[in-house]
Amino acid sequence: MHGFRNILQEHKGFGKQIFLLAKNELIKTYKGAVIGPLWAVVKPAFTVFVYWFAFSVGIKQLKSVNVNLGGPEPFSIDFFTFMFIGIIPWFFILDSIVQGAKTLRVNRQFITKVKFPVSTILTYTSLSRLFVHLLLAFILYIYVFFSIGPSLYNLQFFLYCPLMYIFFLALSWSTAPMSAFSKDFESLIVSVMSGVFWLSGIMYDTYSFDEPLKTVMMFNPINFFVNGYRNCFLYHRAFFSYKTELVIFIAEFAAVFALGVYNYNRLRKKLPDVL
């Protein structure tokens, strides 16, 4: 707890600066582009279009997917809708892992030239990605509203989204300092992410797997958020419906949070020397 108090102390009095820097981070990322930060939406929109074309037009045998709601029979859902709901959190997760690991190296001037709390750098860069995610989530909700219909379960988004933000922020407390010390670690993260995509339930329903594989897949925290968004917008199911999945995630969340606090406090004083 002492290490976490140090991180909170670094944030004290920097709330306004964090939001301004998050805004500037978006502007800086897309500086020189004609449509500016709108590229943050264009890129995932193009990716979604490619998948729609591939699976709804090109590979017609995957036009629908069977969804298991725990009843006697699964029901069929349009594959594009199934994929679209799952891929929206993936865009945030991918950027949070890959860009989160690079954050301190990219923003080294705040560490080597300016006396600035290091943990707030991770917070405001992650917040800038959250801004983009909220815009994409709004587009997702409009699509769901007209294609599936509204539900009270949609409100669970306000549980899953903040949890996702905090989880991957805490993960960056470990990965960003370690990447600052080793470019090989940063390269490793970039290299494995395409494999992580296919090992996560973005393109398929992990709940439909047979045991023990179904339980094994629950140990992938990305699945928790992908399934969570589908719980909100597709399955219309409470977040505690799969208690095993929830317990596993809580344990992983505690481990990632504790490890992040430990690694950050262990390495932060050495960062100016290595950067």
Side-chain angles (χ1 to χ4, degrees), residues 33-272:
V34 175
I35 61 174
L38 281 178
W39 276 116
V41 177
V42 171
K43 181 180 176 182
F46 178 73
T47 303
V48 168
F49 170 77
V50 169
Y51 283 121
W52 168 81
F53 183 83
F55 292 105
S56 292
V57 179
I59 311 176
K60 295 196 174 183
Q61 64 266 33
L62 292 178
K63 195 171 183 179
S64 63
V65 63
N66 289 330
V67 177
N68 181 13
L69 292 183
E73 294 292 336
F75 73 92
S76 185
I77 190 74
D78 175 75
F79 186 84
F80 174 75
T81 300
F82 179 84
M83 180 276 297
F84 187 33
I85 295 172
I87 206 169
I88 292 298
W90 167 254
F91 289 136
F92 176 80
I93 291 168
L94 176 63
D95 281 347
S96 294
I97 295 175
V98 174
Q99 301 303 323
K102 299 177 180 180
T103 296
L104 297 184
R105 188 180 295 278
V106 170
N107 295 279
R108 68 184 71 184
Q109 70 276 10
F110 286 110
I111 302 171
T112 59
K113 297 180 181 179
V114 181
K115 190 176 181 181
F116 197 82
V118 175
S119 61
T120 61
I121 300 173
L122 300 170
T123 301
Y124 83 72
T125 53
S126 184
L127 188 61
S128 71
R129 291 186 287 271
L130 182 63
F131 290 160
V132 174
H133 177 68
L134 291 176
L135 178 56
L136 292 174
F138 177 73
I139 296 171
L140 169 63
Y141 181 72
I142 296 300
Y143 175 82
V144 168
F145 184 88
F146 288 104
S147 62
I148 298 175
S151 167
L152 284 176
Y153 289 102
N154 298 160
L155 294 175
Q156 291 183 127
F157 170 80
F158 297 103
L159 168 67
Y160 284 108
C161 184
L163 266 180
M164 184 168 65
Y165 172 78
I166 296 170
F167 182 88
F168 289 101
L169 173 61
L171 181 65
S172 72
W173 293 344
S174 286
T175 59
M178 292 171 69
S179 296
F181 276 81
S182 172
K183 283 189 176 182
D184 290 334
F185 183 77
E186 181 182 306
S187 299
L188 175 65
I189 290 175
V190 174
S191 299
V192 302
M193 288 312 294
S194 59
V196 170
F197 175 87
W198 293 107
L199 291 173
S200 305
I202 297 156
M203 292 295 181
Y204 45 84
D205 177 24
T206 59
Y207 291 146
S208 66
F209 288 179
D210 295 329
E211 295 290 0
L213 182 58
K214 178 179 176 180
T215 299
V216 169
M217 294 299 289
M218 291 181 181
F219 282 89
N220 181 349
I222 296 174
N223 282 339
F224 177 81
F225 296 111
V226 171
N227 289 334
Y229 273 54
R230 290 186 178 130
N231 286 338
C232 294
F233 301 118
L234 176 61
Y235 301 146
H236 294 169
R237 179 165 48 203
F239 70 92
F240 50 80
S241 295
Y242 279 96
K243 293 181 176 62
T244 301
E245 182 179 45
L246 182 60
V247 169
I248 290 172
F249 173 75
I250 290 172
E252 290 179 332
F253 183 92
V256 167
F257 196 90
L259 190 62
V261 169
Y262 171 75
N263 277 327
Y264 172 76
N265 283 283
R266 179 172 63 93
L267 300 173
R268 64 172 179 165
K269 293 182 180 178
K270 301 175 183 177
L271 288 171

